Amino acid sequence: MKAFVSFLFKSVAFLVSSLPMKLQLFLGDCIGWLWFDVLRIRRKIIFSNLKVAFPDKSKRDKIRIGRASCCNMGRGLIEFTRIPFLKPDKKSIDLFEFRGLEYLDSAKSQGKGVCLLSLHLGNGDFGVAGLAIKGVRLHLISKQFKIQWINDLWFGLRESLGTKFIPPRNSSYGVLKALRAKEPVVFVQDQFMGPPIGLKTTFFGKETGTAMGLAIMVQRTGAPVLPIYTYREDSGKTVVIFEKPL
């Protein structure tokens, strides 16, 4: 089963990634339209979140934003098909633009490792793959799937480029080990985690919770904290941005 799924994915990935960029983007938009307008997957949740984020927007604007968000995720699915064929060559690296790498270099020079503060914006997984072929190897705290062959395919695909993954459960040892090896670790902070493991906070005026691991690790190690995020330009190029340390 695992071998068949891997072969099938790579065959489809090869066909899709061979298409011209404009056609790939259009295919991603088609997935988004199917998702939002036809299958209407999680449509109620989309509108519920838009009501919180944009309470003054009209229904027409919320439909437009919701559809655009699904098209963005559709384009992200298309980008995943490129990962098996990424190489440290000009053709692959030209799919990305990297900004603020000097902040990362400066932070790494302190010799304490680096904590990278991130969120689900753009296509972070594709951005991490781009950094890997650029020579920037990261440790990423990431949930795993319950089905093992999906884990093997998904994580193996990205580990082949040099990215390393730390499971969120009992992650302290893995994070400390990476930081003491003077390597960067990515913390994706925009997922709910309540007390006692998480900390109460507010987002868009609503009470929620966030993980405390990043703050605790910074207190223990003194590692610098850099925000990192990605977004996609209209051309299809993925921009990866490192901000100044917090």
Side-chain angles (χ1 to χ4, degrees):
M1 179 67 175
K2 174 185 170 183
F4 173 74
V5 172
S6 178
F7 172 77
L8 182 62
F9 171 77
K10 289 183 179 179
S11 298
V12 173
F14 176 77
L15 291 174
V16 174
S17 61
S18 299
L19 297 172
M21 178 64 74
K22 287 185 178 180
L23 192 53
Q24 290 185 41
L25 296 176
F26 175 72
L27 186 57
D29 288 341
C30 288
I31 294 173
W33 295 328
L34 181 66
W35 186 331
F36 185 80
D37 293 291
V38 180
L39 301 177
R40 300 193 167 204
I41 300 171
R42 298 172 67 88
R43 190 179 171 105
K44 289 184 179 180
I45 293 177
I46 292 171
F47 282 120
S48 176
N49 289 338
L50 288 172
K51 184 178 180 180
V52 172
F54 303 107
D56 299 326
K57 293 284 188 183
S58 67
K59 184 177 180 180
R60 176 178 291 182
D61 283 339
K62 289 174 183 174
I63 290 174
R64 176 182 57 80
I65 295 169
R67 182 181 295 116
S69 177
C70 289
C71 289
N72 177 63
M73 288 188 283
R75 291 184 174 194
L77 289 174
I78 296 300
E79 285 169 338
F80 290 141
T81 67
R82 301 179 197 153
I83 293 179
F85 311 106
L86 292 177
K87 299 177 181 178
D89 57 19
K90 186 177 186 302
K91 182 180 178 181
S92 292
I93 291 176
D94 281 349
L95 294 170
F96 304 89
E97 180 179 342
F98 305 97
R99 301 177 186 173
L101 282 172
E102 67 274 14
Y103 299 131
L104 178 62
D105 292 337
S106 177
K108 288 170 67 176
S109 70
Q110 297 180 33
K112 300 178 181 179
V114 184
C115 294
L116 297 173
L117 168 61
S118 193
L119 75 165
H120 289 88
L121 179 69
N123 190 341
D125 291 306
F126 193 59
V128 168
L131 286 167
I133 62 171
K134 181 72 173 175
V136 181
R137 305 299 169 86
L138 306 176
H139 296 256
L140 178 64
I141 302 171
S142 178
K143 292 181 179 178
Q144 295 182 329
F145 299 103
K146 293 180 180 180
I147 302 174
Q148 188 58 43
W149 65 263
I150 296 179
N151 269 327
D152 294 340
L153 176 64
W154 176 231
F155 288 101
L157 188 67
R158 297 181 290 166
E159 286 175 338
S160 65
L161 297 174
T163 304
K164 297 178 182 179
F165 294 92
I166 301 172
R169 179 169 292 186
N170 300 320
S171 61
S172 297
Y173 174 77
V175 172
L176 283 171
K177 183 178 178 181
L179 292 177
R180 286 171 179 167
K182 304 178 183 179
E183 297 178 353
V185 180
V186 182
F187 296 77
V188 184
Q189 287 291 105
D190 63 336
Q191 290 185 310
F192 174 79
M193 187 175 288
I197 300 174
L199 179 72
K200 284 185 178 180
T201 184
T202 57
F203 190 62
F204 285 104
K206 304 289 183 178
E207 184 177 288
T208 184
T210 189
M212 294 189 293
L214 172 59
I216 291 172
M217 289 301 158
V218 171
Q219 288 178 336
R220 286 185 181 180
T221 65
V225 181
L226 274 64
I228 177 176
Y229 58 93
T230 73
Y231 69 88
R232 184 189 307 103
E233 293 185 330
D234 292 339
S235 64
K237 178 174 287 191
T238 293
V239 182
V240 183
I241 298 179
F242 294 88
E243 296 281 8
K244 293 179 180 179
L246 301 177

